[in-house]
Amino acid sequence: MPHSLWRRFIRRTALSAALGVCAAGLTVAAPLATSAAAAGTLTQVTSFGSNPGNLAMYEYAPANLPADAPLVVALHGCTQSASDYHAHSGWQKFADQWGFAVVYPQTSSANNSLSCFSWFDSTKDTRGKGEAASVMQMVDTAAAQYGSDRSRIFVTGLSAGGGMTADLLADYPDVFAGGSVDSGLPAQCATTQTAASGCQYSGQNLTPKQWGDKVRNSYPGYTGSWPRVAIWQGTSDTTVTPANGTELRDQWTDVWGIGQTASSTQSLTGGTTESVYDDSTGKPAVALFSISGMAHGLAVNPGSGADQCGTTGSYYLGYICSSYYTAKFWGLDGSGGQGGGTGSLPAPSGLTVTGTTDTGASLSWNSVSGAASYDVYRGGTKVGSATGTTYTDSGLSAGTSYSYTVAAVDSSGAVGASSASVTATTTGSVPKCYTDNNYNQVQAGRAHQSGGYTYANGSNQNMGLYNVAVSHTLKETSAGYFVIADSGC
């Protein structure tokens, strides 16, 4: 944000400079109509819990979202809205392409005059409190609605949303498998408004261990695995000093128990340098993306290329598609989080579903020169490999959609880029179960009565007396055919 405009904001709101970690366009999209979620449409969810942080919940899911798909939480910057972030950030493109849902929490001027998430307020950004608790209620609601894979829930955010992202990763390492902090701040850098500007404009001169302790102290006693963290920072950012990128790197490498020397470094488009820090198994745990000359904002790269996304605007800056590289770092493309594939082989083209049964799906794809084999991924998890260009996945549930990608593997075992995803829907139907008293089962058309007794339609099994005192569970195994399933469905 230009300094003159920044000063006008501060004078107008009488807030400290720290409250205005402001990475936003000044035009906020009109509120969306409240409705139940519809596939392929950004919609508002008006009931998702007690909402102690007074946030709004919006969500997006592509059509035919497969079972056990990942879930991404995306937090806007100051003065932005959920619809603004959805329109510019590029997350919709990859949700559609790779099959995952996105939740967009939205704060407002009722919480903060600049509509910033409260990354600096310990009564709002800590585990079980305020805005952090509201975001968790959104996660629980969306995961239940979509049947999300609870082991693949991720969070990303820009600026103030990035600061809140770091806090959420520290608060809930048992929930988030990974995160991405874009032009943001380290977890718990400030716990009061007055301390926030120091984090924003200067380094804090803490050791990696001191930074790591801020994460560990956010959920004392936690002994599980830590989220994998991507960090995006422009070198010419005067709103959130570039030192924050280094401090975030120090914080999360210390949490992982790895050093601050990069395992690998490479140059990407848009003047971007990617530094990767591997865990003890050689898998990327932390990645720092430093963008030469970029000011404060979210990096996007409009275009139709595979690695392009988003639209430019105020605080959406045309350098590189950060959402693409973040999604690949997390493994949402089916690479399993290998930073987009360690090998140089290109992505297989022409991945097609050639047939389905009630328990299986058959795939084919075009060959890749130099490939010794191919890895097949279902919902981002490797399920098998093939030396040819066909594969049949088995042991699936009837009437269920699954997302697949394929990656070529060279003779050294290095995995290349993943293909675009396809969705396979198995045949058959998923049995439905209904538990109710015998009277209501008859009224609902699932059973009938004769001589004072109740009988299941189709199987004609005796369910006992025709009254409200006797209850059973009926399973519909085919249209209009019900069997008693009291022992489990």
Side-chain angles (χ1 to χ4, degrees), residues 319-344:
Y319 284 84
I320 182 174
C321 174
S322 57
S323 299
Y324 170 81
Y325 287 95
T326 293
K328 290 180 74 69
F329 177 72
W330 291 339
L332 296 183
D333 65 327
S335 67
Q338 295 295 332
T342 58
S344 59

Side-chain angles (χ1 to χ4, degrees), residues 342-357:
T342 58
S344 59
L345 293 180
S349 62
L351 179 61
T352 304
V353 179
T354 57
T356 57
T357 65

Side-chain angles (χ1 to χ4, degrees), residues 34-352:
T34 300
S35 64
T41 304
L42 182 66
T43 58
Q44 185 174 7
V45 177
T46 57
S47 178
F48 56 88
S50 60
N51 192 17
N54 190 35
L55 302 180
M57 175 183 177
Y58 291 82
E59 62 184 11
Y60 176 84
N64 301 317
L65 184 69
D68 295 322
L71 177 67
V72 173
V73 179
L75 294 94
H76 62 78
C78 299
T79 78
Q80 289 181 317
S81 66
S83 57
D84 176 61
Y85 204 63
H86 178 68
H88 286 281
S89 65
W91 279 110
Q92 178 181 345
K93 173 180 177 176
F94 303 113
D96 289 340
Q97 181 174 324
W98 291 327
F100 56 88
V102 187
V103 167
Y104 296 91
Q106 178 176 287
T107 186
S108 68
S109 58
N111 287 358
N112 175 280
S113 62
L114 295 178
S115 297
C116 305
F117 287 102
S118 301
W119 60 271
F120 46 79
D121 187 337
S122 60
T123 68
K124 298 179 181 179
D125 68 354
T126 51
R127 186 179 176 97
K129 297 182 180 179
E131 295 175 13
S134 288
V135 172
M136 283 310 306
Q137 291 176 353
M138 296 181 198
V139 168
D140 290 339
T141 298
Q145 175 186 347
Y146 295 120
S148 305
D149 182 349
R150 294 300 300 239
S151 70
R152 293 188 296 154
I153 297 178
F154 304 89
V155 60
T156 181
L158 168 62
S159 195
M164 181 60 79
T165 292
D167 291 340
L168 288 167
L169 292 170
D171 295 341
Y172 299 100
D174 53 331
V175 173
F176 295 108
S180 178
V181 183
D182 295 80
S183 301
L185 307 103
Q188 301 303 328
C189 184
T191 57
T192 65
Q193 174 183 326
T194 55
S197 60
C199 294
Q200 197 178 328
Y201 295 122
S202 63
Q204 301 302 292
N205 298 316
L206 300 181
T207 66
K209 182 181 183 302
Q210 288 173 318
W211 281 119
D213 285 344
K214 289 180 178 290
V215 173
R216 288 181 283 267
N217 292 337
S218 295
Y219 186 19
Y222 176 70
T223 58
S225 58
W226 294 103
R228 300 181 183 275
V229 181
I231 302 154
W232 293 84
Q233 181 65 53
T235 64
S236 298
D237 192 336
T238 57
T239 301
V240 174
T241 182
N244 283 283
T246 302
E247 291 170 340
L248 277 159
R249 184 275 315 270
D250 291 351
Q251 182 172 64
W252 289 99
T253 52
D254 182 79
V255 167
W256 273 88
I258 55 181
Q260 286 73 56
T261 300
S263 304
S264 63
T265 302
Q266 66 173 322
S267 297
L268 302 175
T269 189
T272 305
T273 300
E274 177 194 30
S275 301
V276 176
Y277 303 81
D278 291 343
D279 65 13
S280 59
T281 69
K283 186 175 181 179
V286 178
L288 173 60
F289 298 84
S290 178
I291 307 173
S292 178
M294 192 179 87
H296 190 63
L298 182 73
V300 298
N301 184 16
S304 59
D307 62 348
Q308 292 181 290
C309 74
T311 56
T312 57
S314 297
Y315 304 98
Y316 298 99
L317 308 178
Y319 284 84
I320 182 174
C321 174
S322 57
S323 299
Y324 170 81
Y325 287 95
T326 293
K328 290 180 74 69
F329 177 72
W330 291 339
L332 296 183
D333 65 327
S335 67
Q338 295 295 332
T342 58
S344 59
L345 293 180
S349 62
L351 179 61
T352 304

Side-chain angles (χ1 to χ4, degrees), residues 436-458:
D436 211 331
N437 64 61
N438 283 355
Y439 176 82
N440 286 338
Q441 296 280 27
V442 171
Q443 297 305 306
R446 297 186 287 268
H448 59 278
Q449 67 90 15
S450 177
Y453 286 88
T454 307
Y455 300 88
N457 287 348

Side-chain angles (χ1 to χ4, degrees), residues 401-418:
S401 295
Y402 297 91
S403 176
Y404 290 94
T405 56
V406 177
V409 182
D410 65 23
S411 58
S412 70
V415 182
S418 290

